[in-house]
Each structure stands twice: as structure tokens, then as C-alpha cells.
Amino acid sequence: MGKIEIIQGDITKQAVDAIVNAANCSLLGGGGVDGAIHRAAGPELLAECRTLHGCETGKAKITKGYRLPAKHVIHTPGPVWHGGGRGEDELLASCYRSCLELAAANGCKTVDFPSISTGVYHFPLDRASRIAVREIDAFLKEHPEIERVRMVCFDGRTKASYEEALSEL
Ligand code: APR
């Protein structure tokens, strides 16, 4: 079974088969990690995204990585946190599953995720990290073709939350 790792770093610097972008439904870029990925990938990424005509929350779409060291970018709009009563947990879980399904379908063996929805979308970090780690673990059990999934955390607090979630598995 492939392994889950938690690291602190900048996802735009990772030379892996696929990095995941915490996008919005337009797929036309934004701030946060979305902005960083588009800046690093260059304008061809936006050009390809324009051909995708958006993406529903919880679903995912794949593009090339262009100037990024990663081969592919898998774009997924996470849920905006509204207090937990609008299916946010299930939508976040669906983001991780959809991205991993797309990664496996495209032969990606190494996949890096940012902490989806825990920035601008205000999803509570410790709740999100438990959902993420649970979904990744369940998927890897069924898909040995994926060799490694990493959570690439941008700050120490985020890293600590994912490390704790992993230790509770
Ligand atoms: N590498 C890794 N993680 C990063 C990076 C980076 N270069 N830059 C930011 N992050 C982290 C943030 O610190 C946070 O932990 O990514 C996590 C997700 O935060 P956001 O980027 O704000 O994403 P999200 O909360 O899902 O909100 C998505 O923000 O940028 C817009 O277009 C995007 O509308 C969408 C919304």
C-alpha cells in the first residue's frame, strides 16, 4: 500500500506526477495556493483551464503542469465552510476521492495535496485534516498503483494538524 507523508513546503516546487490545486468553481485562478500555482505554471495553465468550463465543488479536473516541476495539476474546488450544515464534510471528502481517482486514471504514482478549503474557505483545520487523511488512507488501500501521497503544508500549524490526524488513523 502506498504511503502518506506530511511535509511543510511550497507545493509549486514539488517535482511529482501531480499536484492538487485548491481551486474555485471557475477554474480561472484566484489567490492562495491557486494563485501560486498559476503564477508558477505560467499563462498556458490558464489557457488550458479556460477550455474546461469550470468544475463543481467536490469534483476534479486535470491539466498539464507547464512550467511547474509537477507533470500535472489536478484542480478541485473545495467547499466553503458555512458551519457544517450544508454537507461540507462530504464535499471535502469528495475532493480527495475525486482527485485520487483522476490521478490513478492518469497513471500518476506520486500526488501532493495542499490543505484544501482551510484557507480562504475557512473550513476548520482539525476537522479537515481528519477527513483528508481518512479519505487518502481508504483510497490507497484500494489503489496500490499510487505509491505516495503527501500533504504539503504551508505552515507549521497546518503540518501539526495533519501529523496528528495521521497518528490517529
Ligand atoms: N503551497 C502549499 N500550500 C499553500 C501554498 C503553497 N504555495 N499557498 C497557500 N497554501 C495553503 C494555505 O496556507 C492553506 O493552508 O493552502 C491551503 C488552502 O488555502 P487557500 O489557498 O486559501 O484555498 P481554500 O481555502 O481552498 O480557498 C480556495 O481561494 O485562492 C482562492 O481561487 C481560490 O477561490 C478559491 C479559494
Side-chain angles (χ1 to χ4, degrees):
M1 178 183 140
K3 55 182 182 295
I4 304 175
E5 292 176 8
I6 314 293
I7 66 167
Q8 184 167 341
D10 178 347
I11 202 163
T12 67
K13 308 272 191 246
Q14 308 307 323
V16 290
D17 290 342
I19 61 168
V20 171
N21 180 20
N24 59 59
C25 293
S26 75
L27 295 190
L28 299 179
V33 70
D34 194 4
I37 288 174
H38 275 274
R39 271 194 301 282
E44 300 99 321
L45 177 60
L46 183 57
E48 184 176 359
C49 284
R50 285 193 200 290
T51 69
L52 300 178
H53 305 301
C55 186
E56 273 175 64
T57 299
K59 301 264 191 296
K61 292 193 177 176
I62 192 166
T63 65
K64 295 188 207 65
Y66 300 103
R67 297 175 197 175
L68 287 161
K71 291 197 191 81
H72 298 281
V73 182
I74 296 176
H75 306 260
T76 188
V80 177
W81 181 253
H82 291 290
R86 298 195 196 173
E88 295 97 320
D89 287 358
E90 180 41 37
L91 283 167
L92 184 63
S94 174
C95 284
Y96 285 93
R97 280 198 303 274
S98 302
C99 289
L100 289 169
E101 279 157 10
L102 213 39
N106 285 273
C108 300
K109 298 185 181 320
T110 52
V111 184
D112 280 0
F113 282 93
S115 177
I116 299 168
S117 281
T118 65
V120 165
Y121 283 1
H122 298 299
F123 201 112
L125 175 57
D126 290 345
R127 190 180 179 116
S129 61
R130 271 70 181 170
I131 291 168
V133 162
R134 184 194 69 217
E135 289 302 323
I136 295 166
D137 180 63
F139 192 90
L140 289 179
K141 285 192 169 87
E142 301 295 318
H143 293 269
E145 70 273 25
I146 293 193
E147 291 168 2
R148 186 191 73 195
V149 175
R150 296 189 305 189
M151 291 305 307
V152 181
C153 304
F154 209 43
D155 56 64
R157 175 175 161 266
T158 301
K159 180 169 182 274
S161 180
Y162 281 87
E163 282 174 334
E164 204 179 306
L166 191 54
S167 70
E168 290 167 3
L169 258 189

